[in-house]
């Protein structure tokens, strides 16, 4: 057993939590030059990578989620010390039809798997093949998630496998100058793999083996030689971040809002949580991998916490703080004033325009839309259905001009030439107003007919574009009508059980949360509600209009529509417009399902490479540095 040199007097940074060594005898050299030798343990040495058996696994499935998809193929390669020990491959009958786009992607058809074994028959053989090994996968949460779900569905216990994700490992070891991203299709040519990935399980597993070995070559100069160092490589915590754990000491438990503040006490980031202390502490652990958050924590000087009555109040306060302070590290809801609306102007011959403000009496408004692309898609859908003019000049009922190309194409009634009277044009514009207010059928029906016709002609891409525009339009109409239903209510009181016999209470006026509280078990709800109303905020602005931002009102709507929410009291009328968009719910669901199926295997994690990774001195591993009382070195401090 080798002996490891240990300083006789550990540095100050490492004395806490370590045993004191016995004093040196008189006449010995100075403590900083004397080494005592203690026998190393197996734990100190770790398991050498050359002695570890890895099973590199890849799956093909019918979709992107184990909740509604199944495995169609398993491929695995067992390797140790660079040598292939065995391979495992089998098709699997998923018990359902394989979608056509999956068959195009993988080449696996329903006919191919018709005679294949079911997953409950395959799993025991695969688990025996992988027993006692470390599982490796590219985008491991996907593959291991499907395997765990299959074990659970088959009543088989999932063994406690250690795992390595080559996608995350590549992200830590490669720079953006070398590869633009860490997808398997990008890494395979970079490492010159002997097998090219082709969405077949065994071929992709073989390619991942070569990628794994290529990444291992990057570990040697960094001093990473053991399995423990490898698995800890992606979980290393930035020492600067670890040193700031004390910022969470004064944060209480409970629901609320937290604010990270910078050197000038400016808000850096605003967040919300059901347990403030637990959430804030997570920013100083390896669980937080977002590069923006790592940078934010490095700048933070203190954390301010605001306890709230319940989750709705916390979410609303978060929105308001973000909108007020616009913290640089928040991305969502920083600029609610940038929401876009489609306006039908108020003039003799109205037209559609995209605006940022809703002005009462200035026409009909549809929205809001999150970005210009969505607003333009809705405008294009309306123009596909209605011959509204698209020119921007103001038209006179008495002074006429010349027609444009749209009139020749039948896309406009040409009111500029007098070919269409003011009354005739008004009947066209009324279709849009009616759609926004209550009934979009006359607006949408011609578009759906055209989608069917275009698809029947084999122009599937054009049909898909028009279909998506219709979906954007319908979502905007639904959103507008939902917001108006709450804007018209002077006051309503909502209650939800708090899980311990009490009630979470929210007082809402014209879509704005004006008071929140909790009536604990044994306390009168009505009595507590009277106190809340007495201290509630009085919203400003005219009656019948929203008194809050669109995001806040939608938070209230979602809270109100959760199962178990009670309507305690109501002033005014809470009603939805009829017929509304209810008839198109199935259409919108199909469009949304189609969007998720276009790339069911997309990895939504941040797998970009690092531009400036830190280096570990050759011959010294992170565990060595930690044993010597130094902060463990990092491979990528800004990931």
């Amino acid at each position: 057993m080798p002996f490891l040199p240990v300083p006789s007097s550990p540095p100050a940074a490492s004395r806490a939590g370590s045993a004191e060594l016995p004093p040196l005898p008189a006449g010995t050299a100075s403590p900083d030059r004397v080494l005592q030798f203690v026998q190393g343990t197996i734990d100190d040495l770790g398991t050498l990578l050359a002695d570890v058996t890895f099973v590199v696994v890849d799956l093909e499935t019918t979709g992107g989620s184990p909740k509604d998809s199944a495995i169609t193929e398993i491929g695995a390669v067992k390797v140790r010390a660079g040598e292939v020990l065995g391979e495992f491959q089998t098709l699997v009958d998923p018990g359902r039809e394989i979608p056509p786009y999956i068959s195009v992607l993988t080449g696996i058809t329903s006919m191919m798997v018709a005679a294949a074994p079911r997953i409950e028959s395959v799993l025991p053989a695969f688990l025996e093949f992988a027993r006692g090994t470390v599982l490796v996968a590219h985008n491991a949460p996907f593959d291991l998630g499907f395997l765990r779900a299959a074990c659970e569905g088959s009543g088989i216990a999932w063994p406690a496998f250690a795992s390595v994700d080559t996608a995350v490992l590549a992200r830590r070891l490669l720079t953006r100058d070398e590869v633009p991203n860490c997808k398997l299709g990008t890494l395979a040519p970079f490492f010159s793999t002997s097998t090219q990935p082709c969405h077949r399980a065994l071929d992709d597993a073989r390619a991942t083996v070569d990628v794994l070995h290529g990444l291992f070559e990057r570990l040697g100069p960094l001093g990473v030689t053991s399995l423990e160092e490898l698995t800890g490589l992606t979980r290393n915590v930035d020492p600067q971040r670890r040193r700031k754990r004390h910022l969470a000491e004064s944060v209480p438990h409970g629901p609320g809002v937290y604010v990270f503040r910078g050197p000038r006490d400016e808000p850096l980031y605003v967040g919300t949580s059901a347990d403030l202390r637990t959430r804030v502490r997570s920013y100083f652990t390896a669980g937080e991998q977002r590069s923006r958050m790592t940078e934010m924590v490095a700048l933070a000087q203190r954390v301010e916490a605001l306890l709230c009555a319940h989750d709705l109040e916390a979410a609303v306060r978060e929105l308001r703080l973000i909108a007020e302070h616009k913290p640089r590290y928040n991305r969502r809801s920083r600029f609610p004033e940038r929401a876009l609306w489609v306006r039908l102007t108020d003039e003799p011959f109205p037209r559609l325009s995209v605006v940022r403000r809703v002005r009462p009496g200035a026409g009909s408004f549809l929205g809001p839309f999150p970005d210009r692309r969505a607003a333009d898609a809705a405008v294009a859908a309306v123009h596909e259905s209605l011959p509204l003019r698209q020119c921007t000049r103001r038209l006179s009922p008495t002074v006429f001009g010349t027609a444009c190309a749209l009139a020749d194409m039948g896309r406009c009634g040409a009111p500029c030439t007098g070919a269409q009277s003011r009354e005739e044009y008004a009947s066209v514009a009324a279709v849009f107003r009616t759609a926004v207010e209550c009934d979009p059928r006359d607006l949408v029906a011609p578009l759906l007919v055209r989608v069917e016709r275009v698809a029947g002609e084999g122009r599937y891409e054009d049909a898909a574009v028009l279909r998506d525009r219709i979906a954007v339009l319908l979502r905007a109409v639904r959103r507008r009508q939902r917001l108006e239903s709450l804007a018209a209510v002077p006051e309503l009181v909502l209650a939800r059980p708090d899980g311990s016999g009490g009630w979470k209470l929210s007082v809402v006026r014209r879509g704005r949360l004006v008071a929140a509280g909790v009536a604990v078990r044994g306390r009168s709800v009505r009595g507590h509600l009277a106190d809340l109303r007495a201290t509630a905020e009085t919203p400003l602005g005219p009656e019948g209009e929203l008194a809050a931002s669109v995001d806040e009102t939608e938070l209230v709507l979602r809270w109100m529509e959760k199962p178990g929410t009670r309507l305690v009291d109501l002033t005014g009328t809470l009603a939805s417009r009829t017929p509304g968009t209810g008839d198109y719910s199935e259409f919108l669901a199909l469009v949304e399902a189609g969007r998720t199926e276009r790339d069911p295997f997309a990895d939504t994690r941040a797998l970009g490479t690092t531009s400036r990774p830190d280096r570990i001195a050759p011959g010294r591993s992170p565990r060595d540095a930690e044993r010597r009382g130094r902060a463990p070195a990092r491979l990528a401090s800004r990931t």
Side-chain angles (χ1 to χ4, degrees):
M1 181 71 65
F3 286 80
L4 304 177
V6 178
S8 60
S9 179
S14 64
R15 288 177 185 169
S18 61
E20 292 291 337
L21 296 175
L24 295 174
T28 341
S30 58
D32 58 343
R33 296 183 181 179
V34 174
L35 295 177
Q36 291 185 345
F37 290 86
V38 295
Q39 187 171 6
T41 65
I42 294 295
D43 292 335
D44 290 330
L45 294 176
T47 307
L48 294 178
L49 291 177
D51 298 332
V52 178
T53 302
F54 296 95
V55 167
V56 181
V57 62
D58 187 82
L59 305 180
E60 301 302 330
T61 66
T62 61
S65 172
K67 295 180 180 178
D68 52 15
S69 304
I71 298 172
T72 59
E73 187 179 28
I74 300 178
V77 181
K78 183 182 294 187
V79 294
R80 183 175 64 236
E83 179 183 354
V84 175
L85 304 180
E87 293 183 341
F88 180 98
Q89 188 275 334
T90 180
L91 291 172
V92 181
D93 180 7
R96 66 195 72 179
E97 289 292 323
I98 298 178
Y101 66 92
I102 296 293
S103 295
V104 172
L105 180 68
T106 65
I108 302 174
T109 64
S110 298
M111 184 68 69
M112 292 172 59
V113 299
R118 298 296 297 271
I119 188 64
E120 52 268 21
S121 303
V122 173
L123 277 174
F126 171 76
L127 294 178
E128 179 62 26
F129 178 78
R131 184 164 57 90
T133 66
V134 175
L135 292 184
V136 180
H138 198 79
N139 188 11
F142 176 86
D143 299 282
L144 302 191
F146 266 93
L147 290 172
R148 286 194 186 96
C151 284
E152 183 178 351
S154 304
I156 302 174
W158 174 254
F161 285 111
S163 63
V164 174
D165 191 337
T166 51
V168 176
L169 190 60
R171 179 172 177 257
R172 304 290 275 179
L173 295 174
L174 302 177
T175 67
R176 194 172 291 113
D177 294 334
E178 295 174 302
V179 289
N181 57 62
C182 293
K183 298 178 180 179
L184 183 60
T186 304
L187 297 177
F190 177 77
F191 286 111
S192 301
T193 60
S194 57
T195 304
Q196 293 301 314
C198 59
H199 290 293
R200 289 303 299 267
L202 186 57
D203 286 342
D204 286 6
R206 290 168 175 167
T208 306
V209 169
D210 292 340
V211 169
L212 179 68
H213 290 158
L215 293 171
F216 278 0
E217 293 177 1
R218 299 291 186 103
L219 297 177
L222 302 178
V224 177
T225 58
S226 69
L227 177 63
E228 291 75 14
E229 292 167 344
L230 176 66
T231 55
L233 193 62
T234 58
R235 297 195 296 269
N236 282 340
V237 184
D238 189 329
Q240 186 177 6
R241 181 168 56 180
R242 185 189 292 109
R243 284 194 293 268
K244 293 198 172 184
R245 286 178 295 182
H246 66 279
L247 297 181
E249 293 176 357
S250 60
V251 177
H253 290 284
V257 179
Y258 56 90
V259 182
F260 281 86
R261 293 189 174 271
R264 297 183 299 277
D265 210 40
E266 74 278 14
L268 297 175
Y269 183 79
V270 178
T272 182
S273 175
D275 188 333
L276 287 172
R277 185 177 180 84
T278 301
R279 182 68 184 100
V280 172
R281 290 179 66 182
S282 71
Y283 283 90
F284 309 106
T285 67
E288 180 53 73
Q289 294 292 332
R290 292 174 293 176
S291 58
R292 289 173 61 83
M293 294 300 100
T294 301
E295 182 179 332
M296 182 274 296
V297 171
L299 295 174
Q301 299 299 312
R302 70 183 184 95
V303 179
E304 180 181 348
L306 176 63
L307 283 172
C308 298
H310 48 67
D311 54 336
L312 177 60
E313 183 188 8
V316 167
R317 289 188 180 276
E318 178 194 27
L319 278 178
R320 293 177 184 175
L321 286 171
I322 292 174
E324 178 184 358
H325 298 290
K326 297 178 173 41
R328 59 184 293 191
Y329 291 98
N330 281 97
R331 288 181 172 172
R332 181 179 59 86
S333 304
R334 278 208 303 170
F335 302 100
E337 65 277 6
R338 294 183 181 177
L340 297 173
W341 301 76
V342 172
R343 171 196 175 203
L344 182 67
T345 57
D346 185 20
E347 52 183 317
F349 299 100
R351 61 182 179 85
L352 297 180
S353 64
V354 179
V355 298
R356 292 196 180 276
R357 294 178 56 192
V358 175
R359 293 182 297 159
S364 298
F365 292 86
L366 174 63
F369 296 90
D371 51 43
R372 184 75 189 211
R373 179 180 299 179
D376 289 343
V379 170
V382 175
H383 284 151
E384 291 279 354
S385 177
L386 300 177
L388 292 173
R389 70 183 183 95
Q390 300 183 37
C391 52
T392 58
R393 68 181 186 274
R394 191 173 185 88
L395 301 185
S396 170
T398 57
V399 179
F400 304 123
T402 57
C404 62
L406 290 175
D408 298 334
M409 298 166 57
R411 302 284 298 274
C412 178
C416 55
T417 65
Q420 190 176 32
S421 67
R422 183 171 179 177
E423 291 74 19
E424 292 172 337
Y425 191 90
S427 65
V428 175
V431 175
F432 178 82
R433 293 193 181 96
T434 303
V436 172
E437 292 173 2
C438 60
D439 188 359
R441 288 179 295 188
D442 290 342
L443 178 63
V444 175
L447 298 174
L448 294 177
V449 170
R450 183 174 180 185
V451 169
E452 294 293 336
R453 178 173 58 82
V454 172
E457 296 172 356
R459 296 158 53 194
Y460 300 113
E461 292 184 358
D462 293 339
V465 170
L466 183 55
R467 177 205 60 194
D468 291 344
R469 288 176 177 175
I470 298 171
V472 171
L473 178 62
L474 285 172
R475 291 192 199 101
V477 171
R478 173 174 291 182
R479 193 179 190 191
R480 175 68 173 169
Q481 293 176 359
R482 280 166 49 83
L483 295 173
E484 285 183 342
S485 68
L486 210 54
V489 179
E491 181 181 281
L492 75 155
V493 179
L494 304 172
R496 285 185 56 79
D498 67 353
S500 57
W503 291 92
K504 304 174 184 177
L505 301 176
S506 297
V507 181
V508 180
R509 293 174 181 169
R510 293 180 14 234
R512 183 180 181 85
L513 180 68
V514 295
V518 176
V520 297
R521 183 177 183 180
R523 182 175 180 182
S524 168
V525 174
R526 292 290 180 182
H528 188 64
L529 184 56
D531 296 339
L532 286 180
R533 280 175 161 164
T535 58
E537 174 188 358
T538 301
L540 303 176
E543 296 294 330
E545 294 184 11
L546 282 180
S549 68
V550 170
D551 289 341
E552 177 176 336
T553 304
E554 289 189 326
L555 281 175
V556 173
L557 281 167
R558 286 195 292 269
W559 204 76
M560 180 176 68
E561 294 168 351
K562 285 182 179 179
T565 302
R566 308 286 182 87
L567 183 58
V568 179
D569 204 354
L570 174 68
T571 302
T573 302
L574 179 62
S576 300
R577 299 294 183 97
T578 57
T581 59
D583 292 342
Y584 301 100
S585 298
E586 184 178 354
F587 170 79
L588 291 174
L590 289 174
V591 174
E592 186 63 30
R595 290 177 57 192
T596 59
E597 290 175 353
R598 288 172 195 171
D599 191 3
F601 305 104
D603 187 359
T604 57
R605 298 174 300 162
L607 293 179
T609 51
T610 130
S611 0
R612 194 176 53 182
D614 293 344
R615 298 301 185 213
I616 300 175
R620 179 171 297 171
S621 70
R623 291 175 63 85
D624 287 337
E626 194 168 10
R627 282 197 302 269
R628 295 174 186 273
R630 303 186 182 98
R634 295 170 288 120
L635 287 180
S637 60
R638 299 186 180 277
T639 58

